[in-house]
Amino acid sequence: MKVDQQLYEEFGPIVKFNGLEPNNDLLFIFNPKDVEMMMRNEGLWPFRPPLKCFEYYRKVTRKDFFKGIGGVLVDQGKEWQEARHHVNPILMQTKIVQMYAPKIDEVAEDFVKKIPGWKDSKNEMPHDFKNELHKWALESIAVVALDTRLGCLDAELDPNSEPQRLITAVHTLLSVMHNLEIGGEAFLWRLIPTPSWKKFVKVMDFFVEVSHKHVLEAIERSKSRPADQEPSALERLLKRDPNPLRAVIMALDMLMAGIDTTSHSLTNVMLQLSENQDKQEILHGELKKIMPNPCAPVTNDMLNETKYLKACIKESMRLMPVVTANARTTTEEIILSNYRIPPKVDVLLANGVISRFSEHFREPEKFIPERWIRGHEQEEKANPFVTLPFGHGARKCIGMRFAQLEMEIVLAKMMRRFRWEFKHGPMQYKSTLVHAPIIWIIFILNDGACDVLLSRFKQWLREYLCLRISARTTQDVRPYEEMPGPKPIPLLGNKFRFLPGFRKYDFGDLIKVSKQFYYEFGPIVKFSGLQPKNDLVFVFDPKDIETIIRGEGPWPNRPPVKCLDYYRKVHRKDIFKGVGGLIVDQGEEWQEGRHQANPIMMQIKIVQMYTTKINEVAEDLVKMIPSWMDSKNEMPDDFKNKLNKWALESIAMIALDTRLGCLEENLDPESEPQRMINAVHTLFETMHNLEMGGESFLWPFVPTPSWKKFTAAVDCISEVSQKYIVQAIERSSRRPVDQEPSALERLLQRDPNPNRAVVLAHDMLFGGIDTTSVALANLMLHLSENQEKQEVLYQELKRIMPDPFSPITSEMVEEMKYLKACIKESMRMTPVVSGNMRKTEKEVILSNYRVPPNVEIMMSHAVISRFSKYFREPEKFIPERWIRGHEQEEKANPFVALPFGHGARKCLGMRFAQLEIQVTLAKMIRRFRWEFKYGPMQYKNTMLYTPINPLKFTVHVR
């Protein structure tokens, strides 16, 4: 709830929180008119974002038990409606709920009569009174959900008893669910079994076991029920629903959702009444009149008269709702606060914040139950969409009426017999999935009272520290100096290995030298003695890669391309004006640049907006293919350059907001597009030599041949880019108001430093030509060498694209599962960039060696992804290994293959590159069958992993 308040205060009544891939964008709304708009337009099947951990557990982990049924907490659409259709007439029907009043009264009586025995010499409740409330809540809901008494309120309940284990399990469940859904493990547990995920599965397995056992017992009891006895809610559900498993799942959901929520709601109202003795006295007066005998059972007729009691509960839920917000996912475009909200946006209806606004309630911070009493002088006609503690409409809380009944009965008994105080406030709260008091609740009874003594936070902190300490390795960590690797010699270090005659390792090919290091030294290799450069450590274990990436902090330090850094910051500072760009900058400067670019470059909606334009470029390429075929149906020797032209034309649409005309027939070798392509080739070749080759120690001191070529190439790219960027800025000033701004225009509008948008356009151009064209070429080679896989892809495309000449849409791309798997498999086998790099900023343990700060780490994915320990038959092209649910699917370690990097430093142009490849490949395979008869292809690996031989594909028109 704190973050909701912060967002409102900083941004206003509607706030977009995006860039959460793979999750949807998240929208916070603080206007009840918008809440009403969401609720009124949600249709027959309101889409509430499912708890993903629940969904995965039921649909995947334990599909053996749940058999495809998610239940009302998980299912959507028709499945959800079917489940709700069966339970609504039972759990939401007042007559059936009232039938449980005597049983719930019995539980409440058993609880309340124990209160005097819990008082100490100060009339205080014990430290574990919160747990006693949990026992009451579990015993109450079990009467409904399992049709039995569990014995939670028995004296001296064994800590290992089933009821206490259930209570403990619920606490664990809510704690880990928050971490799995929106906490630190939200993006991890689907990739690796995180600590919270393991706890979650263990807890859920226990719930399933207990629920199933008691439901089976209830089924047996129902067989001997007298004919004149009213059937229980569980029996009615079993009788009504043809699938008894749904009744088991419903019972399971009621148990999990009906303990902490109800007990915390009761705690909150007791705290409010303890802090407002005048209100408690009014309530006691009402109850004394309705219940002259304080020990008499509470009946439905009595509850109908308890107007003030119900108002107290309602006011407490306004001030302290157990669930602070309702959530929905948009299924179609909707207007909220005058903004167009597209489909597939998760909307958080922040009622916990709204209900404290003075514009909706008089003195909103005060506990005034009278505001809810019809006809009272303090009654307020509140907007019904301001406070929604149980939700609204078809998705309203299914157990609402039972929860209200439980609280009304037990609160009536407690307030009728005791007066409660709370002298240790104000209470502190935590708001994860449930808004609950943090510290121990110890009531003092004058006839009763409530207080707080100890902080559970301290207990959790101790447990956390113990866990961290016990997690330390038992092995002796070895010093960095002992790490294996090529031995340096005095004075020269390892620099002599770059000299002619001493080149044992082939630094002209990064993959080759990585393999040499691995087979000679093992899974971690130190290459030191490179002064003034940092040491370089090669890692070949995905566990080490995970350690590096998980621990890199908000500003991951990726070693900059030093020649590019020098060019921008020193050599041509007149153009770049201190802006290095995302490739060069580090720390806060990098973070600020990434902060400005991420919402545009990584947002799926904006990327999809370019599908039509990228389709046009792809069509211009593909329709020329027949004219390039020779008498053997082969592509020309310069087909690689034609792919480069396509890549430049595609990325120019995004980076420069224009068509360059790269795909025009007979393009002049001196034309700007061809000069750009040639310059990018030169750039990557010279960069490798300047960074890792023979000139890497010389160019900072003398202008080497590679440095001269490099500066000429970057000058060319900068000159041409700058010209088109200026034209794009001029065009943007004339753009019609109703026309969507381009990515470049959005960057210029968003970033207070226009130089950053200009530099980003530069980076996109030289980073989006060779990389994308090589990725497409590699993929076409794999499909040409694996004709059976190409045929599977063709059949998929034939189904999705009946007309091979029709434009490709975002919806079509979404269906292309096999095509995406082919791209992923190609990038595993022949990644364009052979590894990712980071620089340590603090000591880190890798392969049990202490690695100090300022060491550059090469994560050699191109080598690791071919290890048989991580992939079955790694040398084979098997796209099926990436298709979820396929019989050949493999659950690969997510840190083995990272073609676009990972985390905050992930490739910024990733989504655009994927879209370009997807659209173009779909057209090429749909219209032609491709062969390559000159294999196997030879590759070179400098900065990029590229084919050497001409791409003389044989092409057959389909």
Side-chain angles (χ1 to χ4, degrees):
M1 195 153 74
K2 185 177 180 181
V3 74
D4 297 3
Q5 187 72 39
Q6 288 173 322
L7 289 172
Y8 174 76
E9 290 172 358
E10 185 171 352
F11 299 105
I14 189 166
V15 183
K16 179 177 69 172
F17 199 57
N18 57 358
L20 302 173
E21 295 82 1
N23 295 338
N24 296 331
D25 286 356
L26 184 58
L27 195 71
F28 293 76
I29 58 175
F30 302 91
N31 188 333
K33 291 181 181 177
D34 288 338
V35 175
E36 180 176 7
M37 181 66 72
M38 285 295 302
M39 294 297 191
R40 298 284 193 211
N41 291 280
E42 59 188 8
L44 292 174
W45 307 331
F47 194 106
R48 183 176 63 194
L51 293 166
K52 296 178 181 65
C53 53
F54 260 88
E55 184 176 39
Y56 191 85
Y57 175 83
R58 293 184 178 184
K59 298 276 178 85
V60 180
T61 306
R62 288 302 308 274
K63 62 184 178 182
D64 58 315
F65 179 83
F66 290 91
K67 302 186 189 324
I69 299 175
V72 294
L73 289 180
V74 168
D75 282 334
Q76 304 287 351
K78 289 184 179 180
E79 292 79 9
W80 169 82
Q81 188 187 41
E82 175 67 15
R84 191 83 188 209
H85 167 73
H86 287 295
V87 299
N88 263 13
I90 299 166
L91 297 181
M92 297 296 283
Q93 191 178 130
T94 304
K95 177 185 174 183
I96 293 175
V97 175
Q98 288 179 338
M99 184 180 79
Y100 277 85
K103 292 183 178 181
I104 289 173
D105 179 84
E106 288 175 11
V107 176
E109 182 62 27
D110 287 350
F111 173 74
V112 174
K113 71 185 182 184
K114 293 167 73 77
I115 288 173
W118 290 330
K119 290 193 296 182
D120 64 10
S121 59
K122 297 179 182 178
N123 279 5
E124 289 185 347
M125 289 291 95
H127 289 182
D128 66 345
F129 185 61
K130 189 187 294 186
N131 191 53
E132 300 299 334
L133 291 173
H134 293 322
K135 292 178 186 177
W136 155 78
L138 173 56
E139 189 76 0
S140 298
I141 196 60
V143 168
V144 182
L146 303 178
D147 196 21
T148 190
R149 291 285 300 261
L150 294 179
C152 303
L153 298 173
D154 292 351
E156 304 300 326
L157 190 65
D158 188 336
N160 292 317
S161 65
E162 186 177 87
Q164 186 58 59
R165 288 171 63 206
L166 278 170
I167 291 165
T168 304
V170 169
H171 301 335
T172 303
L173 183 73
L174 292 172
S175 173
V176 298
M177 274 168 59
H178 177 79
N179 209 18
L180 294 171
E181 294 294 316
I182 57 177
E185 298 179 26
F187 300 98
L188 301 178
W189 63 266
R190 279 164 286 191
L191 306 175
I192 56 173
T194 64
S196 291
W197 173 252
K198 291 176 182 176
K199 290 179 185 177
F200 176 80
V201 171
K202 185 177 180 181
V203 164
M204 288 299 302
D205 284 348
F206 176 60
F207 267 115
V208 168
E209 174 194 335
V210 173
S211 301
H212 194 213
K213 180 186 83 171
H214 284 288
V215 170
L216 291 178
E217 290 173 357
I219 292 171
E220 288 301 312
R221 285 195 303 274
S222 69
K223 294 175 182 177
S224 57
R225 176 175 52 82
D228 60 345
Q229 182 180 317
E230 282 284 344
S232 67
L234 179 58
E235 288 171 340
R236 290 171 191 265
L237 201 54
L238 289 163
K239 185 177 180 181
R240 178 180 174 84
D241 195 329
N243 189 344
L245 183 58
R246 215 158 9 223
V248 175
I249 296 171
M250 190 66 241
L252 180 65
D253 290 345
M254 290 174 71
L255 274 181
M256 291 186 298
I259 302 175
D260 274 37
T261 51
T262 311
S263 62
H264 287 317
S265 294
L266 178 62
T267 300
N268 290 342
V269 71
M270 289 171 67
L271 285 167
Q272 294 294 338
L273 289 166
S274 297
E275 293 167 1
N276 294 272
Q277 288 291 314
D278 55 331
K279 305 301 182 185
Q280 186 178 163
E281 186 56 34
I282 295 171
L283 175 57
H284 177 254
E286 177 185 78
L287 295 171
K288 192 174 180 182
K289 181 180 65 167
I290 297 168
M291 303 164 58
N293 177 3
C295 299
V298 177
T299 65
N300 289 310
D301 292 335
M302 290 177 179
L303 290 177
N304 288 337
E305 296 182 54
T306 55
K307 307 299 183 188
Y308 199 78
L309 180 140
K310 289 173 180 166
C312 287
I313 294 173
K314 200 163 187 179
E315 177 69 346
S316 175
M317 287 187 165
R318 176 190 71 82
L319 279 164
M320 292 294 170
V322 175
V323 179
T324 60
N326 290 280
R328 294 291 187 270
T329 300
T330 57
T331 54
E332 57 186 24
E333 184 179 82
I334 187 171
I335 308 298
L336 299 177
S337 289
N338 213 31
Y339 289 95
R340 293 184 184 277
I341 313 302
K344 295 186 179 178
V345 173
D346 291 343
V347 182
L348 204 67
L349 290 53
N351 298 104
V353 174
I354 303 172
S355 61
R356 294 244 184 168
F357 288 172
S358 58
E359 63 197 88
H360 304 308
F361 291 100
R362 177 177 50 82
E363 298 181 284
E365 298 300 321
K366 288 188 176 180
F367 180 75
I368 306 174
E370 290 81 359
R371 64 173 102 238
W372 300 104
I373 299 175
R374 186 170 296 173
H376 195 281
E377 61 181 0
Q378 290 183 277
E379 180 192 7
E380 296 183 43
K381 302 291 186 183
N383 184 314
F385 293 92
V386 169
T387 177
L388 297 171
F390 290 107
H392 182 274
R395 279 277 192 181
K396 183 182 289 186
C397 171
I398 194 76
M400 175 186 77
R401 297 194 190 282
F402 283 102
Q404 288 172 322
L405 181 65
E406 292 166 30
M407 283 191 290
E408 288 168 3
I409 289 178
V410 78
L411 186 64
K413 288 176 174 285
M414 294 171 80
M415 292 297 162
R416 176 63 182 89
R417 297 188 206 178
F418 310 103
R419 181 168 67 83
W420 300 79
E421 291 181 85
F422 184 70
K423 295 180 179 178
H424 302 269
M427 173 60 74
Q428 301 298 308
Y429 287 83
K430 66 172 181 178
S431 184
T432 52
L433 287 176
V434 172
H435 190 61
I438 294 177
I439 40 186
W440 293 106
I441 316 168
I442 305 174
F443 284 96
I444 304 172
L445 278 72
N446 287 338
D447 286 311
C450 158
D451 238 61
V452 182
L453 279 184
L454 278 179
S455 169
R456 286 191 74 181
F457 174 74
K458 292 179 181 178
Q459 177 188 349
W460 292 334
L461 184 61
R462 283 195 300 271
E463 291 172 357
Y464 175 77
L465 290 173
C466 288
L467 284 171
R468 298 302 295 174
I469 291 166
S470 66
R472 288 194 305 183
T473 177
T474 56
Q475 294 177 283
D476 292 327
V477 179
R478 301 174 69 179
Y480 178 66
E481 291 72 23
E482 293 182 10
M483 187 182 291
K487 297 300 179 187
I489 62 174
L491 298 178
L492 289 178
N494 262 312
K495 293 191 285 291
F496 76 94
R497 298 185 187 278
F498 294 90
L499 299 174
F502 294 94
R503 293 175 182 169
K504 176 182 178 181
Y505 305 110
D506 186 0
F507 291 99
D509 188 319
L510 196 52
I511 292 181
K512 188 174 179 181
V513 75
S514 297
K515 287 181 178 178
Q516 287 177 306
F517 280 170
Y518 174 77
Y519 288 115
E520 184 172 349
F521 299 106
I524 190 164
V525 182
K526 179 177 68 175
F527 194 49
S528 59
L530 304 174
Q531 294 81 3
K533 293 188 171 190
N534 298 320
D535 287 358
L536 183 60
V537 168
F538 290 73
V539 296
F540 302 91
D541 187 334
K543 292 178 183 176
D544 287 338
I545 294 173
E546 182 178 3
T547 297
I548 295 161
I549 289 176
R550 297 279 190 225
E552 59 189 8
W555 306 332
N557 191 320
R558 183 176 63 192
V561 180
K562 295 177 183 67
C563 54
L564 193 61
D565 188 12
Y566 187 86
Y567 177 88
R568 291 184 174 179
K569 299 282 182 71
V570 180
H571 188 72
R572 291 310 303 268
K573 61 184 178 182
D574 57 316
I575 292 178
F576 292 91
K577 297 178 173 56
V579 177
L582 297 176
I583 295 177
V584 167
D585 282 335
Q586 302 290 349
E588 291 188 45
E589 292 81 9
W590 169 82
Q591 187 186 44
E592 178 60 23
R594 189 82 190 208
H595 168 72
Q596 299 297 339
N598 261 9
I600 296 162
M601 300 297 297
M602 299 296 284
Q603 190 177 132
I604 293 174
K605 178 188 173 184
I606 292 176
V607 175
Q608 289 178 335
M609 186 178 81
Y610 279 85
T611 304
T612 303
K613 293 181 178 180
I614 287 172
N615 177 81
E616 290 172 7
V617 177
E619 181 62 29
D620 287 349
L621 171 76
V622 175
K623 73 184 181 184
M624 296 176 72
I625 288 173
S627 67
W628 294 332
M629 293 191 295
D630 63 12
S631 59
K632 297 179 182 178
N633 281 9
E634 290 184 347
M635 289 292 96
D637 288 348
D638 69 343
F639 185 59
K640 188 186 298 183
N641 190 54
K642 296 184 187 302
L643 293 179
N644 290 329
K645 292 177 184 178
W646 155 78
L648 174 55
E649 189 77 0
S650 298
I651 196 62
M653 286 294 304
I654 301 147
L656 303 178
D657 195 23
T658 191
R659 291 286 300 261
L660 296 181
C662 304
L663 296 173
E664 293 176 3
E665 287 283 1
N666 302 316
L667 191 65
D668 187 340
E670 294 302 315
S671 65
E672 286 178 340
Q674 190 59 58
R675 286 173 57 217
M676 285 274 286
I677 291 166
N678 294 342
V680 169
H681 295 339
T682 302
L683 180 80
F684 281 113
E685 288 174 5
T686 57
M687 273 168 59
H688 178 77
N689 208 21
L690 294 170
E691 294 296 307
M692 299 203 53
E695 297 179 29
S696 59
F697 299 98
L698 300 176
W699 70 263
F701 306 104
V702 294
T704 63
S706 291
W707 172 253
K708 292 176 182 177
K709 291 179 184 178
F710 172 79
T711 53
V714 185
D715 282 346
C716 173
I717 295 168
S718 299
E719 173 195 333
V720 177
S721 301
Q722 193 72 14
K723 169 187 165 183
Y724 284 107
I725 290 166
V726 169
Q727 291 176 3
I729 293 171
E730 291 173 354
R731 279 196 308 275
S732 71
S733 64
R734 302 189 298 272
R735 177 176 52 82
V737 178
D738 60 346
Q739 182 181 316
E740 283 282 346
S742 66
L744 178 59
E745 288 172 339
R746 290 172 192 264
L747 279 167
L748 289 164
Q749 290 170 4
R750 176 181 171 84
D751 197 329
N753 186 347
N755 283 339
R756 220 163 7 224
V758 172
V759 175
L760 181 60
H762 284 217
D763 291 346
M764 289 169 68
L765 282 171
F766 80 71
I769 301 175
D770 275 33
T771 51
T772 311
S773 61
V774 168
L776 179 61
N778 290 343
L779 176 53
M780 291 171 66
L781 286 165
H782 286 300
L783 288 168
S784 297
E785 294 164 1
N786 295 271
Q787 288 290 314
E788 74 284 4
K789 306 300 183 185
Q790 187 178 161
E791 181 61 25
V792 175
L793 175 57
Y794 169 66
Q795 292 301 327
E796 176 183 79
L797 296 170
K798 192 175 177 183
R799 173 177 57 81
I800 297 169
M801 303 164 57
D803 178 1
F805 297 94
S806 62
I808 293 177
T809 65
S810 298
E811 290 74 21
M812 289 178 179
V813 173
E814 188 66 27
E815 290 185 61
M816 296 175 183
K817 308 300 183 189
Y818 198 78
L819 181 140
K820 291 174 184 174
C822 289
I823 295 172
K824 203 163 187 179
E825 178 69 345
S826 175
M827 288 186 169
R828 175 191 71 82
M829 295 188 74
T830 47
V832 176
V833 179
S834 59
N836 289 285
M837 291 192 73
R838 292 293 188 269
K839 185 164 80 171
T840 58
E841 295 186 312
K842 58 185 178 181
E843 183 180 83
V844 63
I845 308 298
L846 301 177
S847 290
N848 212 37
Y849 289 95
R850 293 186 187 277
V851 181
N854 293 319
V855 172
E856 294 182 6
I857 309 291
M858 169 60 76
M859 298 174 272
S860 305
H861 300 288
V863 176
I864 302 171
S865 61
R866 294 263 188 149
F867 286 172
S868 59
K869 66 173 96 173
Y870 303 123
F871 291 99
R872 177 177 48 82
E873 298 180 286
E875 298 301 322
K876 287 189 177 180
F877 181 76
I878 306 174
E880 291 80 0
R881 67 172 99 240
W882 301 103
I883 299 175
R884 185 171 294 174
H886 195 281
E887 62 183 0
Q888 290 182 276
E889 179 191 5
E890 296 183 43
K891 302 292 187 184
N893 184 311
F895 292 93
V896 170
L898 295 173
F900 290 106
H902 187 280
R905 280 278 191 179
K906 181 182 288 185
C907 171
L908 187 64
M910 175 185 77
R911 296 195 188 284
F912 284 104
Q914 288 173 323
L915 182 63
E916 292 166 33
I917 296 169
Q918 289 160 359
V919 170
T920 305
L921 183 68
K923 287 177 174 287
M924 295 172 83
I925 300 298
R926 178 65 183 86
R927 295 189 208 173
F928 308 102
R929 183 169 66 82
W930 298 77
E931 292 182 276
F932 187 73
K933 298 177 180 178
Y934 298 90
M937 174 60 74
Q938 299 299 307
Y939 287 85
K940 67 176 178 179
N941 182 240
T942 51
M943 296 296 285
L944 302 178
Y945 190 57
T946 59
I948 297 174
N949 307 341
L951 297 174
K952 291 182 69 66
F953 290 101
T954 303
V955 183
H956 306 276
V957 178
R958 294 193 188 270

